[in-house]
Amino acid sequence: MTILLVGGGPDTVTVPAVFDRFVKELRRRAPGRISRVAVVLFDHEGSSEYFLPAYVEPLESRTACEVVPVLLGFNRGADPAAFDDVDGVVVGGGPTPGYLEGLLPSAQPIRSLVSDGVPYMGFSAGAMVAPVRAIVGGYRIRGTEVCPADWSEGLDEVEIRDGLGLVPFAVDVHAAQAGTLGRAVGAVAKGLVGRAVAVDENTALVLHQADLEELDVIGTGNCWTIRGAGVKATVSVLSAHS
């Protein structure tokens, strides 16, 4: 299995290593044939027409593939059958609560795919919804601000909800650029989650098993790992390489 958790949307990815790594795994999954890739995107009043090419073009420029768009929306979730017979799953950025609501009915099929070796790449919201227990937004913990309100997803208190179940630690994104590292640290320090990672933009955390013991960080930024230690949190930083 290979899971790539990208700390921002494709507009923040300026190094080729992120898409290169996913395509490498895609080719390994579908040697000698055209691969099928499900690209999940939240669509609001036709916004997917503008945003979808940012995900599709880097794939098609690297390998022969058939893209299967899976469009989410308000009160519109993904059909689990959309993930049948795909060789890769890409989940885009946008409203994290909307992605989570739209993908939860497909959580089991996605978990089965990833367990079977299908690579998963989540950008921003797509990274945040990947865990068993996911940070979906908020900027206060017990009334204390832990990150800028602009990154709250419209929520006041930090909310932890059931995610897709791909990794056992919580994920936050835009870490250094948006100040959301504080939210991830606060969530661990206050016992909302046991472990978390916060990933910078233009950076991806790559896992080959669903744990923090075997990982790689690619891009230009940092990945911050946070572990609980009683009422404290211990933070480590891993620098990316291109």
Side-chain angles (χ1 to χ4, degrees):
M1 62 173 289
T2 298
I3 298 171
L4 289 90
L5 305 174
V6 189
D11 58 312
T12 74
V13 176
T14 61
V15 294
V18 174
F19 279 100
D20 285 352
R21 181 66 64 90
F22 180 77
V23 168
K24 177 182 177 182
E25 299 301 328
L26 198 60
R27 288 173 174 161
R28 183 177 298 170
R29 175 70 185 180
R33 62 178 173 84
I34 295 176
S35 55
R36 298 182 75 243
V37 184
V39 177
V40 183
L41 202 60
F42 192 91
D43 181 84
H44 178 59
E45 298 180 348
S47 62
S48 62
E49 293 185 15
Y50 176 79
F51 290 108
L52 190 60
Y55 300 91
V56 173
E57 290 174 1
L59 296 175
E60 293 182 335
S61 68
R62 286 168 167 82
T63 191
C65 62
E66 175 192 352
V67 172
V68 181
V70 181
L71 302 184
L72 310 177
F74 295 111
N75 301 314
R76 184 180 71 205
D79 181 354
F83 299 98
D84 290 348
D85 301 319
V86 299
D87 302 298
V89 177
V90 176
V91 181
T96 304
Y99 274 95
L100 187 56
E101 181 180 352
L103 284 175
L104 271 183
S106 300
Q108 182 56 55
I110 294 172
R111 283 197 299 270
S112 296
L113 287 170
V114 173
S115 295
D116 192 41
V118 170
Y120 175 97
M121 180 162 61
F123 288 87
S124 192
M128 291 182 70
V129 302
V132 173
R133 295 287 287 166
I135 298 170
V136 294
Y139 72 106
R140 302 179 195 265
I141 296 180
R142 300 172 191 169
T144 300
E145 292 187 13
V146 290
C147 75
D150 288 347
W151 295 87
S152 68
E153 301 279 7
L155 302 171
D156 188 272
E157 283 283 314
V158 171
E159 289 195 16
I160 312 294
R161 302 178 190 171
D162 289 339
L164 299 182
L166 303 182
V167 294
F169 48 84
V171 179
D172 218 324
V173 293
H174 306 281
Q177 294 76 21
T180 50
L181 173 60
R183 181 166 61 190
V185 173
V188 173
K190 296 301 183 181
L192 303 183
V193 294
R195 293 182 295 169
V197 300
V199 188
D200 286 349
E201 294 178 357
N202 203 31
T203 306
L205 174 64
V206 184
L207 298 104
H208 300 289
Q209 60 182 24
D211 208 336
L212 289 173
E213 303 307 321
E214 183 185 346
L215 55 83
D216 193 13
V217 183
I218 57 177
T220 62
N222 295 310
C223 175
W224 315 79
T225 64
I226 307 109
R227 299 175 185 267
V231 295
K232 299 181 180 180
T234 301
V235 182
S236 302
V237 60
L238 298 169
S239 296
H241 61 86
S242 298

